Protein backbone atom coordinates (compact mmCIF):
# COMPACT_ATOMS: atom_id res chain seq x y z
CA UNK A 1 0.00 0.00 0.00
CA UNK A 2 0.82 3.66 0.01
CA UNK A 3 2.74 4.07 3.26
CA UNK A 4 3.37 7.79 2.69
CA UNK A 5 -0.36 8.54 2.68
CA UNK A 6 -1.01 6.19 5.58
CA UNK A 7 1.76 7.83 7.60
CA UNK A 8 0.49 11.35 6.87
CA UNK A 9 -3.10 10.51 7.82
CA UNK A 10 -2.08 8.61 10.95
CA UNK A 11 0.25 11.43 12.03
CA UNK A 12 -2.66 13.87 11.63
CA UNK A 13 -4.91 11.53 13.61
CA UNK A 14 -2.31 11.26 16.37
CA UNK A 15 -2.03 15.04 16.68
CA UNK A 16 -5.82 15.42 16.94
CA UNK A 17 -6.21 12.57 19.41
CA UNK A 18 -3.42 13.91 21.62
CA UNK A 19 -4.82 17.46 21.50
CA UNK A 20 -8.18 16.11 22.67
CA UNK A 21 -6.52 14.16 25.51
CA UNK A 22 -7.65 10.79 24.14
CA UNK A 23 -4.82 8.60 25.45
CA UNK A 24 -6.23 5.28 24.25
CA UNK A 25 -7.07 6.61 20.81
CA UNK A 26 -3.60 8.17 20.57
CA UNK A 27 -2.07 4.81 21.56
CA UNK A 28 -4.07 3.14 18.78
CA UNK A 29 -2.65 5.67 16.31
CA UNK A 30 0.86 4.98 17.66
CA UNK A 31 0.29 1.25 17.16
CA UNK A 32 -0.85 1.76 13.57
CA UNK A 33 2.13 4.03 12.94
CA UNK A 34 4.35 1.26 14.31
CA UNK A 35 2.91 -1.06 11.63
CA UNK A 36 3.65 1.52 8.94
CA UNK A 37 7.18 2.01 10.30
CA UNK A 38 7.73 -1.73 10.23
CA UNK A 39 6.58 -1.93 6.60
CA UNK A 40 9.09 0.81 5.82
CA UNK A 41 11.86 -1.10 7.67
CA UNK A 42 12.11 1.64 10.30
CA UNK A 43 12.48 -0.79 13.16
CA UNK A 44 13.77 1.72 15.72
CA UNK A 45 10.79 3.99 15.11
CA UNK A 46 8.40 1.04 15.23
CA UNK A 47 9.86 -0.05 18.56
CA UNK A 48 9.56 3.47 19.97
CA UNK A 49 5.91 3.72 18.94
CA UNK A 50 5.14 0.29 20.42
CA UNK A 51 6.86 1.33 23.65
CA UNK A 52 4.67 4.42 23.72
CA UNK A 53 1.39 2.57 23.10
CA UNK A 54 1.92 -0.59 25.14
CA UNK A 55 1.66 0.92 28.67
CA UNK A 56 -1.58 2.69 27.73
CA UNK A 57 -3.14 -0.57 26.57
CA UNK A 58 -1.84 -2.35 29.67
CA UNK A 59 -3.23 0.29 32.05
CA UNK A 60 -6.61 0.20 30.28
CA UNK A 61 -6.78 -3.61 30.45
CA UNK A 62 -7.00 -3.88 26.67
CA UNK A 63 -5.69 -7.44 26.26
CA UNK A 64 -6.23 -7.66 22.49
CA UNK A 65 -4.46 -4.35 21.85
CA UNK A 66 -1.67 -5.38 24.20
CA UNK A 67 -1.22 -8.67 22.33
CA UNK A 68 -1.14 -6.72 19.06
CA UNK A 69 1.60 -4.46 20.44
CA UNK A 70 3.54 -7.54 21.54
CA UNK A 71 3.08 -9.12 18.10
CA UNK A 72 4.46 -5.95 16.50
CA UNK A 73 7.41 -5.99 18.92
CA UNK A 74 8.05 -9.59 17.92
CA UNK A 75 8.05 -8.60 14.23
CA UNK A 76 10.58 -5.87 15.05
CA UNK A 77 12.76 -8.51 16.71
CA UNK A 78 12.44 -10.75 13.64
CA UNK A 79 13.38 -7.84 11.36
CA UNK A 80 16.44 -7.18 13.52
CA UNK A 81 17.44 -10.85 13.56
CA UNK A 82 16.88 -11.21 17.31
CA UNK A 83 14.02 -13.51 18.24
CA UNK A 84 14.04 -14.41 21.95
CA UNK A 85 12.24 -17.69 22.58
CA UNK A 86 10.54 -16.31 25.69
CA UNK A 87 9.03 -13.48 23.64
CA UNK A 88 7.64 -15.97 21.10
CA UNK A 89 6.31 -18.28 23.81
CA UNK A 90 4.65 -15.37 25.62
CA UNK A 91 2.71 -14.32 22.53
CA UNK A 92 1.82 -17.91 21.65
CA UNK A 93 0.42 -18.51 25.13
CA UNK A 94 -1.99 -15.60 24.67
CA UNK A 95 -3.15 -16.38 21.12
CA UNK A 96 -6.25 -18.39 22.13
CA UNK A 97 -7.46 -15.55 24.36
CA UNK A 98 -7.31 -12.84 21.68
CA UNK A 99 -10.98 -12.22 20.94
CA UNK A 100 -10.77 -9.80 18.04
CA UNK A 101 -9.78 -11.64 14.84
CA UNK A 102 -8.29 -8.41 13.45
CA UNK A 103 -5.67 -8.77 16.19
CA UNK A 104 -5.64 -12.56 16.58
CA UNK A 105 -4.86 -13.46 12.96
CA UNK A 106 -1.96 -11.00 12.53
CA UNK A 107 -0.60 -12.07 15.94
CA UNK A 108 -0.66 -15.68 14.79
CA UNK A 109 1.18 -14.69 11.59
CA UNK A 110 3.74 -12.79 13.69
CA UNK A 111 4.26 -15.96 15.75
CA UNK A 112 4.70 -17.89 12.48
CA UNK A 113 7.37 -15.47 11.27
CA UNK A 114 9.15 -15.69 14.62
CA UNK A 115 9.04 -19.50 14.68
CA UNK A 116 10.38 -19.60 11.11
CA UNK A 117 13.17 -17.19 12.07
CA UNK A 118 14.06 -19.53 14.94
CA UNK A 119 14.20 -22.47 12.52
CA UNK A 120 10.99 -24.14 13.72
CA UNK A 121 9.24 -24.46 10.36
CA UNK A 122 6.70 -27.01 11.64
CA UNK A 123 5.42 -24.62 14.31
CA UNK A 124 5.49 -21.77 11.79
CA UNK A 125 3.39 -23.76 9.33
CA UNK A 126 0.94 -24.74 12.09
CA UNK A 127 0.42 -21.05 12.91
CA UNK A 128 -0.05 -20.19 9.24
CA UNK A 129 -2.59 -22.99 8.74
CA UNK A 130 -4.54 -21.85 11.79
CA UNK A 131 -4.48 -18.25 10.54
CA UNK A 132 -5.81 -19.37 7.15
CA UNK A 133 -8.58 -21.47 8.75
CA UNK A 134 -9.56 -18.62 11.08
CA UNK A 135 -9.54 -15.96 8.34
CA UNK A 136 -11.36 -18.22 5.88
CA UNK A 137 -14.04 -19.12 8.44
CA UNK A 138 -14.61 -15.42 9.12
CA UNK A 139 -14.48 -14.42 5.44
CA UNK A 140 -11.48 -12.11 5.89
CA UNK A 141 -10.04 -12.59 2.42
CA UNK A 142 -7.14 -10.16 2.89
CA UNK A 143 -5.82 -12.19 5.81
CA UNK A 144 -6.30 -15.45 3.89
CA UNK A 145 -4.21 -14.01 1.06
CA UNK A 146 -1.56 -12.64 3.44
CA UNK A 147 -1.25 -15.97 5.27
CA UNK A 148 -0.98 -17.87 1.99
CA UNK A 149 1.77 -15.50 0.86
CA UNK A 150 3.55 -16.12 4.15
CA UNK A 151 3.23 -19.87 3.58
CA UNK A 152 4.71 -19.45 0.10
CA UNK A 153 7.76 -17.73 1.63
CA UNK A 154 8.49 -20.85 3.67
CA UNK A 155 10.81 -23.50 2.19
CA UNK A 156 8.90 -26.37 0.55
CA UNK A 157 11.04 -28.96 2.31
CA UNK A 158 12.66 -27.32 5.29
CA UNK A 159 16.16 -28.43 6.17
CA UNK A 160 16.55 -29.48 9.80
CA UNK A 161 18.62 -27.00 11.81
CA UNK A 162 21.40 -28.31 13.97
Amino acid sequence: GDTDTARRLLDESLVVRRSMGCRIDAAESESLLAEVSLRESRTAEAQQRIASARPVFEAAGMADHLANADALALLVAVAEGQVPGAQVASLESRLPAIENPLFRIPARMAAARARAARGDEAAARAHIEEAIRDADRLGIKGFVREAKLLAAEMPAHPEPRS
Side-chain angles (χ1 to χ4, degrees):
D2 182 2
T3 57
D4 291 335
T5 301
R7 176 175 292 284
R8 182 179 52 76
L9 293 172
L10 288 167
D11 278 333
E12 290 173 13
S13 169
L14 181 59
V15 169
V16 170
R17 289 172 165 189
R18 281 186 176 156
S19 73
M20 294 176 62
C22 302
R23 293 186 67 232
I24 293 172
D25 292 337
E28 288 175 339
S29 290
E30 288 279 16
S31 186
L32 290 168
L33 279 161
E35 288 185 49
V36 171
S37 299
L38 198 52
R39 288 182 190 273
E40 296 171 334
S41 300
R42 296 178 176 183
T43 56
E45 179 183 336
Q47 188 63 20
Q48 175 213 354
R49 291 189 181 280
I50 294 162
S52 174
R54 193 180 189 290
V56 176
F57 298 145
E58 191 168 28
M62 299 175 73
D64 284 4
H65 286 73
L66 189 58
N68 182 60
D70 290 346
L72 290 171
L74 189 57
L75 290 173
V76 168
V78 169
E80 293 178 341
Q82 306 167 6
V83 188
Q87 191 176 0
V88 179
S90 174
L91 180 62
E92 287 174 330
S93 71
R94 292 181 293 150
L95 286 172
I98 301 173
E99 293 179 13
N100 186 332
L102 299 179
F103 292 130
R104 181 178 58 247
I105 297 168
R108 188 164 294 284
M109 287 190 280
R113 287 187 187 280
R115 282 294 173 193
R118 291 184 59 81
D120 189 349
E121 284 85 5
R125 286 189 184 283
H127 283 306
I128 292 168
E129 290 166 8
E130 182 60 32
I132 291 170
R133 277 192 301 274
D134 199 9
D136 195 41
R137 179 178 54 81
L138 296 167
I140 307 174
K141 293 182 188 320
F143 283 158
V144 171
R145 185 173 32 257
E146 188 176 340
K148 286 182 177 180
L149 286 171
L150 180 56
E153 291 174 12
M154 303 273 303
H157 300 287
E159 295 293 320
R161 286 214 173 156
S162 47

